[in-house]
């Protein structure tokens, strides 16, 4: 790497999965001046379960942090798709083949362990500096030297930060995205999906007295209960000590809320009412949730953007491709973004703004169509899972596909479990794709 490239100042806004992995990937490439700006006062990680797909594991293994994540992960051997009302199994899909085919098993873990493992990897790199309690505003993406105001909590005045490359991993509310689109005179808006989610974690102690519940937490399977406009997906995490449930249901509590509101304290009676027609097994689990610990998330996306890049600024993760959770690829796609950025920026021939922009365009070429395809596929999978009697013909077709699966025939309506969709997602190798695209763009053999 050229000395001038190595010493470039790279600023990252946001220390979520995408921002942390960007910092680590760039450090591993040899960059010496990486700053991460985060509005939170620290990275006291919380959250629920998360699926650790092979395409994510491949990136994190190359960055040297996968082993600590893998230690607490639960390997999934099958998925069971069931009628919410009866608990009757519509389909069972084997997942054992995934490790042999893609090099990594499909596993699940705790979001806090995933994020903390990446953060600990970053802390081992002296070139990465974290700036906490600092909000980035007034982002300038027009200049070839991007800049932003950094307002530190407790201070009345911000200070200006200028850098050679700006990577905006600041989430669905991204200030950098707004600034970039304003500069390009492009109008695009965050879209309500009409869906919300409860995220629930039950401990082994809570489930210990019930044999049916112990079977779930001791299992190596993911279960999805589906019903009209709703579903619940559940699996064990943290070495089978926690049972994680994530739901999707019609949004009623956020409908009249301010547009900035994404989470709200939920009502246990309201949650039970949403799934009142689901089977007794589901009811038992929902009833274990303590009153006062129900939290509901609004599920939002935004329209596909015309570009992710302007001059020396690039958007990352939810800032440019937020997705519904129905393919379990949100964090994985942000991590893929980071891996590709590491490769293309690490191969820069010089530190000129022209080369930087060209490399960021390679990043966009490798990532944009793929990420947006998966966003739409997640939405389509949700539509199929949530079919009800108001769309009887489509529901009959879907249920016929589930029936055919029992004979080993046809696609899986739950696209997350479909082998062809898994092939498209899990076989993607960020390093190979990014290297090939960079060489093509820069005219190297």
């Amino acid at each position: 790497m050229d000395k001038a490239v190595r010493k470039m100042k790279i600023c990252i806004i946001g220390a979520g999965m995408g921002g942390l992995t960007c910092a680590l990937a760039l450090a591993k490439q040899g960059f010496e001046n990486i700053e991460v700006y985060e509005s939170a006062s620290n990275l006291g990680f919380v959250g629920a379960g998360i699926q650790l797909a092979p395409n994510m594991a491949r990136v994190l293994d190359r960055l040297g942090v996968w082993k600590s994540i893998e230690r607490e992960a639960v390997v999934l051997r099958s998925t069971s798709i069931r009628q919410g009302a009866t608990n009757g199994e519509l389909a069972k899909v084997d997942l054992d083949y995934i490790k042999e085919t893609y090099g990594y098993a499909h596993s699940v873990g705790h979001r806090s362990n995933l994020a903390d493992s990446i953060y600990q990897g970053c802390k081992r790199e002296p070139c990465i500096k974290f700036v906490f309690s600092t909000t980035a505003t007034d982002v300038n993406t027009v200049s070839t030297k991007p800049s932003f105001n950094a307002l530190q909590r407790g201070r009345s005045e911000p200070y200006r930060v200028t850098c050679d490359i700006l990577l905006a991993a600041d989430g669905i509310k991204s200030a950098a995205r707004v600034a970039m689109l304003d500069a390009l005179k492009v109008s695009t808006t965050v879209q309500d999906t009409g869906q919300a989610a409860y995220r629930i974690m039950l401990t082994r102690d809570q489930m210990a007295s019930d044999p049916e519940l112990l079977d779930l937490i001791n299992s190596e399977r993911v279960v999805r209960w589906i019903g009209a406009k709703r579903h619940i997906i559940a699996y064990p995490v943290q070495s089978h000590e926690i049972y994680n449930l994530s739901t999707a249901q019609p949004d009623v509590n956020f409908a009249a809320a301010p547009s900035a509101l994404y989470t709200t304290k939920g009502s246990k009676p309201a949650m039970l009412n949403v799934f009142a027609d689901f089977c007794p097994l589901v009811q038992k689990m929902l009833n274990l949730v303590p009153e006062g610990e129900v939290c509901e998330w609004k599920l939002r996306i935004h329209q596909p953007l015309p570009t992710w890049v302007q001059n020396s600024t690039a958007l990352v993760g939810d800032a440019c491709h937020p997705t519904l959770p129905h393919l379990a690829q949100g964090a994985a796609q942000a991590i893929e973004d980071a891996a590709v950025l590491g490769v293309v920026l690490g191969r820069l021939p010089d530190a000129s703004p022209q080369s930087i922009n060209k490399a960021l365009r390679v990043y966009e070429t490798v990532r944009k169509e793929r990420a947006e395809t998966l966003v739409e596929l997640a939405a389509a999978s949700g539509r199929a899972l949530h079919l009800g009697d108001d769309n009887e013909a489509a529901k009959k077709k879907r249920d016929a596909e589930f029936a055919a699966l029992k004979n080993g025939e046809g696609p899986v309506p739950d696209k997350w479990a479909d082998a062809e969709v898994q092939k498209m997602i899990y076989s993607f190798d960020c390093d190979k794709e990014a290297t090939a695209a960079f060489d093509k763009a820069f005219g190297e053999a």
Side-chain angles (χ1 to χ4, degrees):
M1 181 184 285
D2 181 80
K3 182 179 179 181
V5 173
R6 191 169 64 247
K7 293 192 173 298
M8 287 192 303
K9 181 178 181 179
I10 304 176
C11 288
I12 299 165
I13 304 175
M17 301 296 184
L20 288 172
T21 311
C22 278
L24 185 56
L26 292 167
K28 295 294 187 183
Q29 291 289 339
F31 289 97
E32 297 177 354
N33 189 4
I34 303 162
E35 296 181 355
V36 184
Y37 290 79
E38 170 55 44
S39 59
S41 59
N42 60 69
L43 295 185
F45 296 109
V46 293
I50 190 167
Q51 298 197 35
L52 309 169
N55 56 316
M56 177 198 289
R58 187 177 298 115
V59 172
L60 298 178
D61 200 11
R62 287 172 177 168
L63 295 178
V65 296
W66 174 245
K67 295 302 180 189
S68 61
I69 299 163
E70 188 180 33
R71 274 195 295 271
E72 289 188 12
V74 174
V75 173
L76 295 178
R77 303 192 63 184
S78 66
T79 179
S80 175
I81 304 159
R82 305 179 183 183
Q83 288 280 10
T86 66
N87 200 38
E89 190 167 73
L90 291 165
K92 181 180 179 180
V93 180
D94 174 63
L95 301 176
D96 274 340
Y97 83 98
I98 287 178
K99 182 172 184 178
E100 182 179 345
T101 306
Y102 302 111
Y104 297 87
H106 190 109
S107 54
V108 288
H110 198 292
R111 184 176 291 268
S112 64
N113 183 46
L114 171 63
D116 187 56
S117 294
I118 303 171
Y119 178 49
Q120 294 305 321
C122 289
K123 287 171 67 176
R124 291 191 289 270
E125 301 291 339
C127 59
I128 301 174
K129 175 187 175 184
F130 285 91
V131 185
F132 293 111
S133 302
T134 302
T135 301
T137 62
D138 191 21
V139 181
N140 179 353
T141 64
V142 175
S143 172
T144 55
K145 294 282 189 182
S147 61
F148 56 93
N149 278 349
L151 180 59
Q152 205 158 30
R153 196 171 304 150
R155 293 190 177 184
S156 57
E157 294 295 326
Y159 59 94
R160 197 72 185 166
V161 177
T162 301
C163 52
D164 297 293
I165 299 172
L166 177 62
L167 303 178
D170 49 343
I172 193 168
K173 301 179 188 178
S174 172
R177 180 186 69 242
V178 172
M180 181 184 291
L181 295 180
D182 284 350
L184 295 170
K185 295 181 170 53
V186 171
S187 176
T188 184
T189 57
V190 174
Q191 296 177 315
D192 286 343
T193 64
Q195 297 178 60
Y198 295 112
R199 290 169 183 162
I200 298 161
M201 289 191 293
L202 301 177
T203 65
R204 175 172 286 278
D205 285 347
Q206 287 174 290
M207 303 174 80
S209 63
D210 189 301
E212 275 192 309
L213 300 185
L214 277 176
D215 176 67
L216 291 174
I217 198 170
N218 288 332
S219 72
E220 295 174 314
R221 67 176 176 270
V222 57
V223 182
R224 199 187 302 260
W225 291 274
I226 66 173
K229 300 180 181 178
R230 298 155 298 157
H231 79 262
I232 298 173
I233 187 168
Y235 45 81
V237 298
Q238 206 162 317
S239 304
H240 297 273
E241 290 300 312
I242 292 174
Y243 198 64
N244 180 82
L245 297 94
S246 181
T247 76
Q249 65 274 348
D251 169 22
V252 293
N253 294 319
F254 293 92
S259 60
L261 193 65
Y262 283 66
T263 63
T264 186
K265 198 76 172 176
S267 156
K268 183 174 179 178
M271 178 183 69
L272 292 171
N273 185 58
V274 169
F275 296 98
D277 60 338
F278 273 39
C279 63
L281 180 60
V282 168
Q283 300 300 322
K284 282 195 287 189
M285 288 187 287
L286 297 183
N287 272 291
L288 289 174
V289 180
E291 185 68 65
E293 292 188 16
V294 176
C295 196
E296 190 171 15
W297 277 256
K298 186 175 186 65
L299 300 179
R300 286 176 170 170
I301 58 173
H302 58 63
Q303 298 167 323
L305 306 181
T307 184
W308 295 359
V309 172
Q310 186 180 26
N311 297 316
S312 300
T313 300
L315 304 176
V316 179
D318 281 356
C320 49
H321 53 80
T323 183
L324 290 170
H326 309 321
L327 280 183
Q329 277 288 308
Q333 290 306 295
I335 286 168
E336 282 192 7
D337 289 350
V340 171
L341 282 164
V343 172
V344 299
L345 294 177
R347 294 171 67 85
L348 278 169
D350 57 66
S352 69
Q354 294 78 16
S355 291
I356 291 169
N357 180 256
K358 191 173 181 180
L360 293 178
R361 294 290 175 192
V362 174
Y363 155 69
E364 183 179 68
T365 298
V366 174
R367 293 291 307 134
K368 190 171 186 292
E369 182 179 358
R370 171 173 166 82
E372 290 173 353
T373 296
L374 296 186
V375 168
E376 174 49 38
L377 196 55
S381 189
R383 290 191 293 269
L385 292 172
H386 295 169
L387 288 169
D389 292 337
D390 58 338
N391 198 340
E392 190 173 349
K395 182 173 180 289
K396 281 184 176 178
K397 182 174 183 248
R398 180 203 69 188
D399 290 348
E401 289 179 345
F402 276 129
L405 270 177
K406 292 187 175 180
N407 298 320
E409 300 170 358
V412 184
D414 183 349
K415 295 305 176 190
W416 170 83
D418 183 80
E420 288 303 311
V421 173
Q422 290 171 342
K423 181 179 180 181
M424 177 181 70
I425 298 173
Y426 300 163
S427 63
F428 189 82
D429 189 311
C430 292
D431 285 17
K432 288 182 180 178
E433 296 291 336
T435 299
F438 184 94
D439 289 350
K440 181 180 179 181
F442 281 76
E444 298 177 15

mmCIF file of all heavy atoms in Angstrom, residues 10 26-27 31 44 77 106 135 224 235 241 252 268 303 310 345 378 380 392 399 419:
data_model
loop_
_atom_site.group_PDB
_atom_site.id
_atom_site.type_symbol
_atom_site.label_atom_id
_atom_site.label_comp_id
_atom_site.label_asym_id
_atom_site.label_seq_id
_atom_site.Cartn_x
_atom_site.Cartn_y
_atom_site.Cartn_z
ATOM 1 N N ILE A 10 -9.663 8.417 7.554
ATOM 2 C CA ILE A 10 -10.957 7.828 7.221
ATOM 3 C C ILE A 10 -11.867 7.958 8.436
ATOM 4 O O ILE A 10 -11.549 7.474 9.520
ATOM 5 C CB ILE A 10 -10.820 6.350 6.823
ATOM 6 C CG1 ILE A 10 -9.837 6.198 5.657
ATOM 7 C CG2 ILE A 10 -12.188 5.767 6.448
ATOM 8 C CD1 ILE A 10 -9.564 4.763 5.255
ATOM 9 N N LEU A 26 -10.738 -2.040 7.460
ATOM 10 C CA LEU A 26 -9.747 -1.062 7.003
ATOM 11 C C LEU A 26 -8.446 -1.192 7.786
ATOM 12 O O LEU A 26 -7.352 -1.070 7.222
ATOM 13 C CB LEU A 26 -10.324 0.343 7.142
ATOM 14 C CG LEU A 26 -11.492 0.658 6.199
ATOM 15 C CD1 LEU A 26 -12.188 1.940 6.631
ATOM 16 C CD2 LEU A 26 -11.029 0.753 4.761
ATOM 17 N N ALA A 27 -8.556 -1.454 9.089
ATOM 18 C CA ALA A 27 -7.350 -1.656 9.894
ATOM 19 C C ALA A 27 -6.568 -2.861 9.391
ATOM 20 O O ALA A 27 -5.330 -2.822 9.303
ATOM 21 C CB ALA A 27 -7.728 -1.832 11.357
ATOM 22 N N PHE A 31 -4.556 0.606 6.930
ATOM 23 C CA PHE A 31 -4.791 2.032 7.139
ATOM 24 C C PHE A 31 -4.434 2.408 8.581
ATOM 25 O O PHE A 31 -4.663 1.643 9.511
ATOM 26 C CB PHE A 31 -6.252 2.376 6.841
ATOM 27 C CG PHE A 31 -6.582 2.321 5.371
ATOM 28 C CD1 PHE A 31 -7.160 1.185 4.814
ATOM 29 C CD2 PHE A 31 -6.289 3.398 4.542
ATOM 30 C CE1 PHE A 31 -7.447 1.122 3.463
ATOM 31 C CE2 PHE A 31 -6.570 3.343 3.180
ATOM 32 C CZ PHE A 31 -7.151 2.202 2.636
ATOM 33 N N GLY A 44 -22.330 -0.297 25.258
ATOM 34 C CA GLY A 44 -22.922 -1.291 26.151
ATOM 35 C C GLY A 44 -23.971 -2.054 25.373
ATOM 36 O O GLY A 44 -25.132 -1.660 25.303
ATOM 37 N N ARG A 77 -29.763 -27.132 12.846
ATOM 38 C CA ARG A 77 -29.752 -28.332 11.998
ATOM 39 C C ARG A 77 -31.010 -28.450 11.147
ATOM 40 O O ARG A 77 -31.030 -29.209 10.180
ATOM 41 C CB ARG A 77 -29.587 -29.571 12.869
ATOM 42 C CG ARG A 77 -28.314 -29.533 13.731
ATOM 43 C CD ARG A 77 -28.017 -30.861 14.353
ATOM 44 N NE ARG A 77 -27.745 -31.857 13.332
ATOM 45 C CZ ARG A 77 -27.531 -33.147 13.588
ATOM 46 N NH1 ARG A 77 -27.566 -33.577 14.835
ATOM 47 N NH2 ARG A 77 -27.291 -33.991 12.621
ATOM 48 N N HIS A 106 -25.055 -22.742 9.407
ATOM 49 C CA HIS A 106 -25.974 -21.641 9.728
ATOM 50 C C HIS A 106 -26.223 -21.702 11.232
ATOM 51 O O HIS A 106 -26.784 -22.667 11.743
ATOM 52 C CB HIS A 106 -27.294 -21.755 8.976
ATOM 53 C CG HIS A 106 -28.123 -20.509 9.113
ATOM 54 N ND1 HIS A 106 -28.323 -19.637 8.080
ATOM 55 C CD2 HIS A 106 -28.734 -19.967 10.185
ATOM 56 C CE1 HIS A 106 -29.049 -18.617 8.506
ATOM 57 N NE2 HIS A 106 -29.301 -18.801 9.789
ATOM 58 N N THR A 135 -22.440 13.385 18.160
ATOM 59 C CA THR A 135 -23.391 13.296 17.061
ATOM 60 C C THR A 135 -22.848 14.038 15.847
ATOM 61 O O THR A 135 -22.343 15.163 15.975
ATOM 62 C CB THR A 135 -24.750 13.904 17.469
ATOM 63 O OG1 THR A 135 -25.239 13.201 18.609
ATOM 64 C CG2 THR A 135 -25.760 13.799 16.342
ATOM 65 N N ARG A 224 -40.796 -21.430 12.868
ATOM 66 C CA ARG A 224 -41.564 -20.264 12.460
ATOM 67 C C ARG A 224 -43.046 -20.628 12.482
ATOM 68 O O ARG A 224 -43.473 -21.544 11.799
ATOM 69 C CB ARG A 224 -41.161 -19.784 11.066
ATOM 70 C CG ARG A 224 -41.621 -18.331 10.855
ATOM 71 C CD ARG A 224 -41.433 -17.801 9.457
ATOM 72 N NE ARG A 224 -40.142 -17.778 8.882
ATOM 73 C CZ ARG A 224 -39.333 -16.714 8.802
ATOM 74 N NH1 ARG A 224 -39.688 -15.581 9.379
ATOM 75 N NH2 ARG A 224 -38.188 -16.777 8.174
ATOM 76 N N TYR A 235 -35.709 -19.407 18.205
ATOM 77 C CA TYR A 235 -34.572 -20.328 18.227
ATOM 78 C C TYR A 235 -33.766 -20.095 19.506
ATOM 79 O O TYR A 235 -33.818 -19.018 20.106
ATOM 80 C CB TYR A 235 -33.678 -20.139 16.995
ATOM 81 C CG TYR A 235 -33.377 -18.692 16.659
ATOM 82 C CD1 TYR A 235 -32.374 -17.982 17.331
ATOM 83 C CD2 TYR A 235 -34.098 -18.018 15.674
ATOM 84 C CE1 TYR A 235 -32.103 -16.671 17.028
ATOM 85 C CE2 TYR A 235 -33.838 -16.696 15.369
ATOM 86 C CZ TYR A 235 -32.834 -16.026 16.040
ATOM 87 O OH TYR A 235 -32.571 -14.709 15.746
ATOM 88 N N GLU A 241 -29.020 -21.165 26.524
ATOM 89 C CA GLU A 241 -29.464 -20.586 27.792
ATOM 90 C C GLU A 241 -30.609 -19.590 27.615
ATOM 91 O O GLU A 241 -31.282 -19.234 28.577
ATOM 92 C CB GLU A 241 -28.293 -19.895 28.502
ATOM 93 C CG GLU A 241 -27.247 -20.868 29.043
ATOM 94 C CD GLU A 241 -27.839 -21.848 30.053
ATOM 95 O OE1 GLU A 241 -28.559 -21.404 30.974
ATOM 96 O OE2 GLU A 241 -27.583 -23.060 29.911
ATOM 97 N N VAL A 252 -50.031 -1.167 14.635
ATOM 98 C CA VAL A 252 -51.166 -0.369 15.108
ATOM 99 C C VAL A 252 -50.711 0.683 16.124
ATOM 100 O O VAL A 252 -51.295 1.758 16.207
ATOM 101 C CB VAL A 252 -52.273 -1.259 15.730
ATOM 102 C CG1 VAL A 252 -52.905 -2.130 14.675
ATOM 103 C CG2 VAL A 252 -51.735 -2.095 16.875
ATOM 104 N N LYS A 268 -48.335 -5.873 27.416
ATOM 105 C CA LYS A 268 -48.442 -7.331 27.371
ATOM 106 C C LYS A 268 -49.839 -7.789 26.947
ATOM 107 O O LYS A 268 -49.953 -8.683 26.084
ATOM 108 C CB LYS A 268 -48.053 -7.939 28.721
ATOM 109 C CG LYS A 268 -48.081 -9.471 28.704
ATOM 110 C CD LYS A 268 -47.544 -10.054 29.995
ATOM 111 C CE LYS A 268 -47.600 -11.581 29.977
ATOM 112 N NZ LYS A 268 -47.033 -12.160 31.206
ATOM 113 N N GLN A 303 -37.051 3.838 0.071
ATOM 114 C CA GLN A 303 -36.995 3.559 -1.359
ATOM 115 C C GLN A 303 -35.551 3.328 -1.775
ATOM 116 O O GLN A 303 -34.629 3.919 -1.208
ATOM 117 C CB GLN A 303 -37.560 4.748 -2.143
ATOM 118 C CG GLN A 303 -39.024 5.047 -1.854
ATOM 119 C CD GLN A 303 -39.445 6.399 -2.410
ATOM 120 O OE1 GLN A 303 -38.672 7.353 -2.389
ATOM 121 N NE2 GLN A 303 -40.666 6.476 -2.891
ATOM 122 N N GLN A 310 -21.067 9.710 -3.202
ATOM 123 C CA GLN A 310 -20.827 11.034 -3.766
ATOM 124 C C GLN A 310 -19.411 11.442 -3.423
ATOM 125 O O GLN A 310 -19.032 11.500 -2.249
ATOM 126 C CB GLN A 310 -21.820 12.064 -3.241
ATOM 127 C CG GLN A 310 -21.666 13.423 -3.930
ATOM 128 C CD GLN A 310 -22.633 14.470 -3.431
ATOM 129 O OE1 GLN A 310 -23.093 14.401 -2.287
ATOM 130 N NE2 GLN A 310 -22.958 15.449 -4.261
ATOM 131 N N LEU A 345 -10.777 -0.118 -0.991
ATOM 132 C CA LEU A 345 -9.949 0.989 -0.514
ATOM 133 C C LEU A 345 -8.524 0.519 -0.229
ATOM 134 O O LEU A 345 -7.556 1.269 -0.420
ATOM 135 C CB LEU A 345 -10.574 1.615 0.731
ATOM 136 C CG LEU A 345 -11.928 2.309 0.495
ATOM 137 C CD1 LEU A 345 -12.499 2.834 1.815
ATOM 138 C CD2 LEU A 345 -11.809 3.434 -0.526
ATOM 139 N N ALA A 378 -36.798 -10.192 0.845
ATOM 140 C CA ALA A 378 -37.288 -10.257 2.227
ATOM 141 C C ALA A 378 -38.726 -9.781 2.309
ATOM 142 O O ALA A 378 -39.567 -10.385 2.995
ATOM 143 C CB ALA A 378 -36.390 -9.417 3.135
ATOM 144 N N ALA A 380 -40.942 -9.836 -0.130
ATOM 145 C CA ALA A 380 -41.787 -10.826 -0.803
ATOM 146 C C ALA A 380 -42.014 -12.045 0.075
ATOM 147 O O ALA A 380 -43.118 -12.607 0.111
ATOM 148 C CB ALA A 380 -41.139 -11.241 -2.131
ATOM 149 N N GLU A 392 -57.321 -15.785 -0.626
ATOM 150 C CA GLU A 392 -57.463 -17.234 -0.522
ATOM 151 C C GLU A 392 -56.710 -17.986 -1.617
ATOM 152 O O GLU A 392 -56.085 -19.022 -1.360
ATOM 153 C CB GLU A 392 -58.948 -17.612 -0.555
ATOM 154 C CG GLU A 392 -59.198 -19.070 -0.201
ATOM 155 C CD GLU A 392 -60.668 -19.389 -0.062
ATOM 156 O OE1 GLU A 392 -61.481 -18.452 -0.038
ATOM 157 O OE2 GLU A 392 -60.989 -20.576 0.022
ATOM 158 N N ASP A 399 -49.800 -22.926 0.366
ATOM 159 C CA ASP A 399 -49.949 -24.133 1.173
ATOM 160 C C ASP A 399 -49.720 -25.393 0.350
ATOM 161 O O ASP A 399 -49.238 -26.410 0.867
ATOM 162 C CB ASP A 399 -51.325 -24.157 1.840
ATOM 163 C CG ASP A 399 -51.449 -23.095 2.931
ATOM 164 O OD1 ASP A 399 -50.412 -22.505 3.308
ATOM 165 O OD2 ASP A 399 -52.577 -22.848 3.397
ATOM 166 N N ALA A 419 -33.398 -23.544 -0.689
ATOM 167 C CA ALA A 419 -32.007 -23.871 -1.039
ATOM 168 C C ALA A 419 -31.443 -22.959 -2.125
ATOM 169 O O ALA A 419 -30.263 -22.584 -2.082
ATOM 170 C CB ALA A 419 -31.910 -25.330 -1.478
#
